[in-house]
Amino acid sequence: MNSSPLPPPSATGDDAGQPARMLREARAVLHAESAGLQAMIAAMEDGHAGDGGLGAAFIAAVEGIWSGNRRVVVTGMGKSGHIGRKIQATLASTGTPAIFVHPAEASHGDLGMLQKGDAVLAISNSGETAEMADIISHARRFGLLLIAMTARAGSTLAQAADIVLLLPHAPEACPIGLAPTTSSTMQLALGDALAIVLLQRRGFSASDFGIFHPGGRLGTRLRRVNELMHTGESMPLGPPGMELRRVIVEMTRKAFGCMGVVDAQGRLLGLITDHDLRLALGRDLDHTLAADIMNPTPQTISPDLLAAEALRVMNDRPRPISSIFALDEGGHAVGILHLHDLLRAGIA
């Protein structure tokens, strides 16, 4: 047996045209899938109730889920199932309760996951997926809202559904027309559209999104000051009549590099920093008061501010600051945030 390595590919003849051909084929796939999306956009234009088109069906699906406060049970087999899992995840993370139920597993006990009042989003390009028969029958038997996402209006799934999200005809990008490509791209995009319109219908905000994404970089960016700040006895605070000697003790004990000067009600009157303290060390420690050396207009933030925005406030100055007080609407000091808190949280 000849065990010598294969010779390197030649840069002449047919091989020389391989990169150009591969890019041409790749562009053809993208053009085919883009054409499918454009066809779907056109099918949704000017949709209104009663016209029987994709636009009207889409509106009915949104209203059916939102007005009924329904959980969405997504189901699909094969490639449609993979797309369905992603649609379910997007729905759930944007405020619409959703689960994925595998149609084959549904026939072996998972139908118990479906509840009264659910909406079932069944995805099948052909509309004739045999494994979906039991979940379709269950939805009909218990009066669940059945939304079909399919490319065939006359299919078994479409005929059984309350609402049909009918995908327009578009050739698959696969050259032999068999592998789901354009069709799965259209399914995914339509699922994204459904999730985002429901998000907007619910008035879902960035802070709501952060609740469902507490982990990872995204969750970190959406954390707020009130989640990281120090409160209560941890805050370095003192009255305007506090002697400089006691100010030094309070600042040293709390180790924030500053002290807030507050009135009897806890409203912030000013701030003393390490820099202010150094300038005042030549004064009489027992007769110089906090009010004598404080900055009466310190930079402050709201406890509801995004932590990332608080970092910008702290850095967007000629001399960046390492600690900042958070005040409520009445001007009361409710917390203090240190740069180290932002570092620990992965924000700075």
Side-chain angles (χ1 to χ4, degrees):
M1 174 183 258
N2 185 357
S3 61
S4 62
L6 293 173
S10 171
T12 63
D14 290 341
D15 289 333
Q18 284 293 324
R21 183 173 63 82
M22 288 188 288
L23 290 176
R24 185 168 60 251
E25 291 169 350
R27 288 195 299 269
V29 172
L30 298 178
H31 279 303
E33 298 197 355
S34 176
L37 294 179
Q38 290 300 321
M40 191 162 58
I41 291 170
M44 293 186 71
E45 288 179 355
D46 302 322
H48 55 83
D51 72 356
L54 179 57
F58 183 86
I59 293 169
V62 171
E63 291 300 324
I65 295 169
W66 182 81
S67 62
N69 195 28
R70 299 176 190 271
R71 183 183 65 164
V72 180
V73 179
V74 185
T75 188
M77 195 73 187
K79 304 299 186 295
S80 293
H82 293 306
I83 295 297
R85 289 184 184 277
K86 193 277 178 184
I87 293 173
Q88 174 270 321
T90 301
L91 286 166
S93 70
T94 52
T96 300
I99 61 170
F100 180 84
V101 175
H102 193 285
E105 296 296 335
S107 302
H108 295 275
D110 280 4
L111 284 175
M113 298 171 68
L114 278 66
Q115 302 174 357
K116 184 178 180 180
D118 282 346
V120 176
L121 176 60
I123 307 172
S124 171
N125 193 51
S126 69
E128 300 295 345
T129 305
E131 292 87 350
M132 298 181 76
D134 287 338
I135 202 167
I136 293 171
S137 176
H138 186 86
R140 297 297 73 199
R141 178 183 177 188
F142 291 98
L144 307 183
L145 179 66
L146 179 58
I147 304 169
M149 186 185 293
T150 181
R152 298 186 181 178
S155 64
T156 301
L157 174 60
Q159 293 298 311
D162 297 299
I163 300 170
V164 181
L165 298 174
L166 186 63
L167 302 176
H169 174 72
E172 298 287 4
C174 169
I176 58 176
L178 296 177
T181 46
T182 305
S183 59
S184 58
T185 298
M186 294 165 69
Q187 291 170 351
L188 180 61
L190 189 56
D192 284 343
L194 183 65
I196 297 307
V197 172
L198 282 166
L199 173 152
Q200 294 171 330
R201 193 79 169 85
R202 294 176 185 278
F204 198 77
S205 66
S207 59
D208 296 321
F209 196 75
I211 292 172
F212 297 122
H213 296 76
R217 184 63 180 169
L218 180 59
T220 297
R221 287 175 55 201
L222 294 174
R223 296 187 73 178
R224 297 192 177 273
V225 170
N226 56 22
E227 299 177 57
L228 303 175
M229 67 186 189
H230 303 262
T231 61
E233 291 298 318
S234 298
M235 293 188 289
L237 298 173
M242 178 182 281
E243 300 87 355
L244 185 55
R245 186 184 301 278
R246 293 173 54 208
V247 169
I248 295 171
V249 172
E250 176 71 1
M251 289 177 61
T252 303
R253 187 164 62 93
K254 299 295 176 63
F256 281 96
C258 67
M259 188 192 86
V261 181
V262 294
D263 64 15
Q265 287 72 44
R267 288 186 290 265
L268 190 71
L269 303 176
L271 183 73
I272 300 172
T273 66
D274 282 337
H275 177 71
D276 299 320
L277 202 58
R278 285 193 296 272
L279 294 177
L281 285 180
R283 299 193 182 193
D284 188 320
L285 298 183
D286 294 316
H287 294 89
T288 302
L289 306 181
D292 299 331
I293 63 170
M294 72 179 189
N295 171 13
T297 57
Q299 177 71 61
T300 61
I301 54 175
S302 164
D304 297 323
L305 193 68
L306 287 173
E309 179 66 12
L311 177 62
R312 186 196 65 76
V313 171
M314 295 168 74
N315 285 332
D316 194 16
R317 304 167 54 85
R319 292 176 57 188
I321 55 180
S322 59
S323 296
I324 191 167
F325 274 95
L327 309 184
D328 65 14
E329 293 181 356
H332 303 88
V334 294
I336 185 171
L337 183 70
H338 194 279
L339 181 61
H340 289 168
D341 303 319
L342 299 172
L343 286 167
R344 282 190 292 268
I347 295 167

